[in-house]
């Protein structure tokens, strides 16, 4: 296993722990941030390898955190 693969596995594990903590501790905002980071990791890996890792990371995590922010705002302000 290469260093890059090990780093991705470590990041995925940390993001999963954050999501589970948010769910288990009844903190939906924390849970959605963890889920958003996992979505960001998935999008990053879906994008073509012709782009740099930095560009793919910025796009992927940007989409994931935008999703998490939208969910948090929905829970905080639009749902009773």
């Amino acid at each position: 296993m290469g260093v890059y693969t090990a780093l991705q596995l470590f990041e995925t594990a940390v993001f999963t722990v954050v999501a589970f903590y948010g769910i288990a501790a009844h903190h939906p905002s924390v849970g959605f941030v963890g889920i958003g980071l996992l979505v960001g990791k998935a999008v990053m890996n879906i994008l073509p390898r012709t782009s740099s890792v930095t560009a793919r990371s910025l796009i992927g995590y940007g989409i994931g955190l935008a999703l998490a922010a939208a969910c948090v705002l929905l829970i905080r302000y639009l749902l009773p």
Side-chain angles (χ1 to χ4, degrees):
M1 174 181 355
V3 176
Y4 185 71
T5 303
L7 177 63
Q8 286 202 2
L9 288 172
F10 175 74
E11 287 177 345
T12 303
V14 169
F15 299 161
T16 302
V17 168
V18 170
F20 280 142
Y21 170 76
I23 293 166
H26 302 289
H27 295 295
S29 299
V30 175
F32 279 121
V33 168
I35 292 167
L37 288 168
L38 285 169
V39 168
K41 173 62 73 185
V43 170
M44 183 186 114
N45 287 320
I46 290 170
L47 293 172
R49 301 248 181 235
T50 56
S51 303
S52 70
V53 174
T54 304
R56 289 186 292 133
S57 296
L58 289 173
I59 293 168
Y61 290 128
I63 291 170
L65 290 178
L67 172 69
C71 290
V72 168
L73 291 174
L74 178 73
I75 287 173
R76 296 253 183 222
Y77 299 110
L78 296 179
L79 297 177

